Amino acid sequence: MHAHIAEAVKKPDLISLEPDLACLRFETMKIYSALGAVRHLLDTGAVAPGDTLIDSSSGIYAQALALACHRYGMQCHIVGSTTVDRTTRVQLEILGATLEQVAPSQNLRLDQELRVRRIAEILAANPSYHWMRQYHDEIHYHGYREVAGSIDEDLPAGPLALVGGVGSGASTGALATYLREAGRDVTLIGVQPFGSVTFGSEHVSDPDMIIAGIGSAITFRNVRHELYDRVHWVNFDHAVSGAVSLLRAGGVFAGLSAGAAYLSALWERRRDASRHYVFIAADTGHRYVDNAYARHERALDIDTLKPHEITSLGELRQPWATTAWPPVAP
């Protein structure tokens, strides 16, 4: 029996789609990160029960931190973007978390900068609050050790390839790190939207991109670039096509980052069939029903798609590009 709902919903399902291809499917992935981080802060005395934890979020981490605070008797305050939907807002309110959303912005960079600026103002007025800093504090790696152990135990011995969207960097970075520490041969493949500074695609805009939780307009210190072996950049239409195909072929209803990761994993498997491939589905597809899944009849046949193989970031172009990381050309 679970002591709290957060413990029940945090555990992912490892789903075999083909003999050498598995989906690591979370209901909401960042619960692992938030629970591990809050537990570590309590164990080290950095915070105490009843303290207020604060952070910025586009939605997924907000719910995760609220549940972690509920689990451990903490107060929670979220500075959110306009992408925090009504379902999440209502849950936060009932869980006792407080949410303030910044004004709508014309671009992601301004939205993130407004949120960070607002957090600084709140901390100045409330110095006892603890800023979780999900994008920069390595404590968000801790919660994924258990997940890595499950992957190592459940999958056959041998080389692995882990494919996942890169947002804060904690999930893919931590899983690869802990699997490598366990002795696994792991190739780590990061998935990005165009327009993100994280892997240098800020000069290629994708106005339709609405994938929550991956990419960034500001630098995240939790992204450890040296951990990654390859990177894929996937635009909105291709991510939707991957998500629709994943649901149609595997019955997995997941977010658009999962669609992009699925597409990338299939391509990588064609390049190198010597590994077992695992791709991450970080959340469910519910938030994407109206603006993505509802257009499923227009989804592309992913068997006909292939990326541009590039050797420098100057060659980046839509709809899909990939390279070894770091690129071999300057």
Side-chain angles (χ1 to χ4, degrees):
M1 182 180 296
H2 298 288
H4 190 271
I5 184 63
E7 307 290 347
V9 299
K10 73 176 184 178
K11 187 174 177 61
D13 300 305
L14 192 60
I15 302 164
S16 177
L17 299 178
E18 296 185 32
D20 59 350
L21 178 66
C23 175
L24 186 66
R25 185 260 185 200
F26 292 84
E27 182 171 334
T28 175
M29 183 180 67
K30 290 195 174 181
I31 289 181
Y32 255 115
S33 181
L35 282 173
V38 174
R39 183 70 261 167
H40 179 79
L41 291 171
L42 287 166
D43 289 345
T44 57
V47 300
D51 285 355
T52 297
L53 307 183
I54 182 173
D55 212 346
S56 164
S57 175
S58 60
I60 299 174
Y61 185 76
Q63 181 195 25
L65 184 59
L67 282 170
C69 287
H70 190 273
R71 167 72 175 86
Y72 290 117
M74 316 291 290
Q75 303 300 312
C76 178
H77 185 79
I78 300 294
V79 177
S81 71
T82 55
T83 60
V84 179
D85 59 24
R86 183 173 182 271
T87 300
T88 301
R89 293 198 305 270
V90 171
Q91 289 185 69
L92 295 180
E93 183 177 347
I94 295 172
L95 285 169
T98 52
L99 167 71
E100 57 176 289
Q101 291 175 273
V102 297
S105 303
Q106 293 182 339
N107 57 66
L108 178 61
R109 175 181 290 276
L110 182 56
D111 178 79
Q112 290 176 324
E113 289 177 349
L114 285 174
R115 283 187 270 148
V116 172
R117 191 181 309 158
R118 178 58 185 147
I119 285 176
E121 294 171 353
I122 294 171
L123 290 172
N126 301 274
S128 65
Y129 286 11
H130 182 88
W131 184 11
M132 293 298 293
R133 300 168 73 244
Q134 64 152 321
Y135 305 132
H136 308 300
D137 195 328
E138 65 182 14
I139 62 172
H140 290 89
Y141 273 54
H142 295 314
Y144 292 109
R145 183 180 293 276
E146 182 182 340
V147 184
S150 296
I151 295 172
D152 190 34
E153 180 179 340
D154 292 345
L155 292 182
L160 297 176
L162 179 67
V163 186
V166 182
S168 69
S171 59
T172 49
L175 290 173
T177 295
Y178 296 139
L179 283 165
R180 287 166 178 168
E181 287 179 358
R184 283 278 190 161
D185 173 3
V186 177
T187 293
L188 181 58
I189 300 153
V191 179
Q192 283 279 279
F194 289 96
S196 169
V197 305
T198 303
F199 287 93
S201 69
E202 62 269 26
H203 60 289
V204 183
S205 175
D206 181 10
D208 293 327
M209 181 54 67
I210 57 164
I211 301 179
I214 68 171
S216 176
I218 58 177
T219 301
F220 293 163
R221 287 200 295 275
N222 269 341
V223 178
R224 301 174 186 173
H225 291 82
E226 70 277 7
L227 297 177
Y228 296 84
D229 299 290
R230 291 187 61 81
V231 177
H232 284 251
W233 294 265
V234 181
N235 78 354
F236 175 76
D237 288 336
H238 276 44
V240 171
S241 299
V244 170
S245 180
L246 177 60
L247 178 56
R248 182 176 290 134
V252 178
F253 181 50
L256 293 190
S257 67
Y262 177 55
L263 190 67
S264 302
L266 291 176
W267 179 259
E268 290 294 330
R269 190 176 63 156
R270 294 185 198 123
R271 293 181 63 257
D272 178 7
S274 67
R275 296 177 177 272
H276 200 118
Y277 286 80
V278 181
F279 68 93
I280 297 172
D283 61 351
T284 67
H286 293 86
R287 67 162 67 187
Y288 299 108
V289 169
D290 291 336
N291 49 29
Y293 279 100
R295 61 177 76 183
H296 64 89
E297 293 180 350
R298 288 179 280 169
L300 305 170
D301 178 357
I302 64 170
D303 290 334
T304 67
L305 307 180
K306 64 179 183 179
H308 305 295
E309 292 277 354
I310 64 172
T311 58
S312 73
L313 295 178
E315 299 172 356
L316 270 172
R317 65 185 189 275
Q318 295 191 52
W320 180 12
T322 185
T323 187
W325 190 263
V328 295

